[in-house]
Every structure is written in structure tokens, then in C-alpha cells.
Amino acid sequence: MSRLSDPCDAPLEDVVRKAADQLSSGKPAEYIMGRAAFLGLQLHVGPGVFVPRPETETLVLLAEQGIPTMRSSEATVLDVCSGSGAIGLALASRLPGIRCIGLDSDAICISCAEASAQEAHLEQRVRFVRANVLSSWNRAVEDLEGHLDLVVSNPPYVREERLAEACLSSPCEPVQALYGGPSGLSFYRRIVAQAHDFLRPGGTLLLEIDDGLEDHILELFSKYGMEDGHWQPDFQGLPRYAGAHRAR
Ligand code: GLN
């Protein structure tokens, strides 16, 4: 057994010193390890990939617990702005009947997500498609229109006035994974508009949101004919999740 007071051999000391320097310059520990823990999975992450956050684990649990068909049937899920693939992979690992498609515009994210799917033996049920989520999804996932049980998304939602603070607290993560346009709503406008047509009647839209956006999101739900719009707080009590259904 080794003790903290034991001298360590030179190469290990170099590794530890290098990691300490990287951490103090703001590099996430997950980039140094190459892995992020998320609901029992060890996901591949690295520079260019947003590190999944604990509040997004709650989004997965809300999807799992709040949507009865997810547990009983072969539900089909679309994860928009899938990044590391965390949401779709976690859902598929917990719900053996479902299949999931992740959409993301970034090639590095897609390859990390595919590596994680392979490692977790989920590649038969979870696939990732590179596409600009702000344009029409039709070309990427045309066959799914009107068939989805769940559209889920944690899109970039940091608004202009909060961007400097967000970049200070995560200086090494890609700003395009955070910035949601001047009011933080750019992605939601597109996602809510398209989700309505891609969901089956009665299907669910579930979003992670920033606090202060909740009223705007509920307005978007009404504007696009989504029913039962509501929001829920995170573990700090801040509005963090919003959901609605397509009419039956
Ligand atoms: N919650 C994230 C943060 O920590 C922002 C995530 C997002 O924009 N989707 O900065």
C-alpha cells in the first residue's frame, strides 16, 4: 500500500504536475481524463465537446419517469444538440426498448458520441447524425416525421448578458455549446417549431432551459400548438426544465 507521504516516482510526479497546471488554467478534469461520468456511463469527451452537467442527469430522469410509454414500448427519441451524446445514451442504457437518434452540427461531438455508444454496446439502438439543427431537420431524419415519442434537448441557452460569466467559469469549453443568441432563445424557436411536426400525436417535448426563459418557452409552446406546457425547477430551485405535448 502506498501512502501520501511516500516519495513518488518521477514520471508520475510529472503527470500530476501537468494535470494540476491544466486544472489551474481552467481545463475541466474531464478533458484531462478524456471521460465524463453521466448516470453510470463513462462518456468520451475532450476539447470541443461540452462536458455534461449534473442538472442534465435530472432531465434524463424526468424523461424516464414522466413518460409512461418510454418504459413499456419501443419508443423513438430524438436528442437535438446531442453534444457528447449523454442524454440519448443514458436513456438507452436505462430503457432497453427505446431507440435514439442524436442530432449535432459538430463532427468532434459526433465522433465522441459514437465512441461512447460503441463502448457502452448501445450502437444498435443509438445513432448520431451530423446536421445543422437550426435548419430543416427533414434531410437528416425525414423518415421520423410524425413518429417520435420524445424530442429532448439541452441546447445552447446562455444569453448575451450572461455569456461573459459563463465563459469565465468554463474557459476551455466550446462557446458554441453555450451561446443561445441575444435572448438565449435562438435554438428553442427552431426546436419547438419543428418538434411539433416530428412528434407523434401525444408525443412529448422536454427541454433543459435557463432561468428567466421559462415564460418565453411557455409562449413558444402555445405559439406552435403544444399542449400542457409547464416548467420545473432544478436542485437549486431555479426554473430548469420545460415540457409540453403534441395534441392527440
Ligand atoms: N448549464 C450550462 C452551463 O453550465 C449551459 C448549458 C447550455 O447552454 N445548454 O454553462
Side-chain angles (χ1 to χ4, degrees), residues 50 53 55 154-158 166 170 177-179 208:
F50 180 72
R53 306 287 202 262
E55 56 268 30
N154 171 24
Y157 58 58
V158 178
S170 11
L178 299 172
Y179 184 51
E208 184 174 317

Side-chain angles (χ1 to χ4, degrees), residues 4 23 60 75 101 116 130 135 141 148 155 173 176 190 193 199 220:
L4 270 179
L23 283 173
V60 170
I101 300 93
S116 298
R130 190 173 171 202
S135 67
V141 287
L148 294 171
E173 287 182 281
Q176 67 270 23
R190 210 56 204 145
L199 286 168
L220 281 176

Side-chain angles (χ1 to χ4, degrees), residues 10-209:
L12 178 60
E13 191 172 334
D14 288 349
V15 170
V16 174
R17 269 191 209 291
K18 197 171 156 214
D21 287 347
Q22 291 176 318
L23 283 173
S24 62
S25 69
K27 192 167 190 175
E30 289 86 351
Y31 285 1
I32 298 169
M33 310 293 288
R35 289 285 192 285
F38 189 84
L39 282 175
L41 296 172
Q42 290 291 325
L43 302 170
H44 286 251
V45 291
V49 181
F50 180 72
V51 176
R53 306 287 202 262
E55 56 268 30
T56 306
E57 295 184 326
T58 305
L59 183 74
V60 170
L61 300 179
L62 289 173
E64 182 185 345
Q65 292 155 10
I67 307 168
T69 52
M70 298 278 284
R71 265 163 292 152
S72 56
S73 71
E74 296 180 356
T76 305
V77 175
L78 182 68
D79 174 14
V80 185
C81 303
S82 50
S84 64
I87 296 172
L89 291 167
L91 277 172
S93 74
R94 302 167 72 84
L95 301 164
I98 72 159
R99 70 183 181 111
C100 185
I101 300 93
L103 274 191
D104 203 279
S105 57
D106 186 89
I108 300 174
C109 287
I110 297 280
S111 56
C112 269
E114 284 173 342
S116 298
Q118 292 270 350
E119 202 169 275
H121 307 292
L122 291 169
E123 72 278 12
Q124 303 295 328
R125 290 190 293 121
V126 187
R127 70 185 168 93
F128 295 93
V129 178
R130 190 173 171 202
N132 179 356
V133 301
L134 290 174
S135 67
S136 166
W137 301 343
N138 261 318
R139 247 180 298 157
V141 287
E142 191 175 14
D143 52 323
L144 298 177
E145 194 159 355
H147 293 295
L148 294 171
D149 295 271
L150 171 68
V151 173
V152 61
S153 184
N154 171 24
Y157 58 58
V158 178
R159 52 193 179 270
E160 191 102 50
E161 71 195 52
R162 291 189 171 179
L163 191 61
E165 193 192 331
C167 291
L168 262 183
S169 65
S170 11
C172 300
E173 287 182 281
V175 68
Q176 67 270 23
L178 299 172
Y179 184 51
S183 59
L185 292 166
S186 301
F187 286 82
Y188 298 112
R189 288 198 185 99
R190 210 56 204 145
I191 291 168
V192 179
Q194 301 205 68
H196 180 273
D197 296 338
F198 274 80
L199 286 168
R200 63 164 172 75
T204 302
L205 171 60
L206 189 58
L207 303 169
E208 184 174 317
I209 64 167

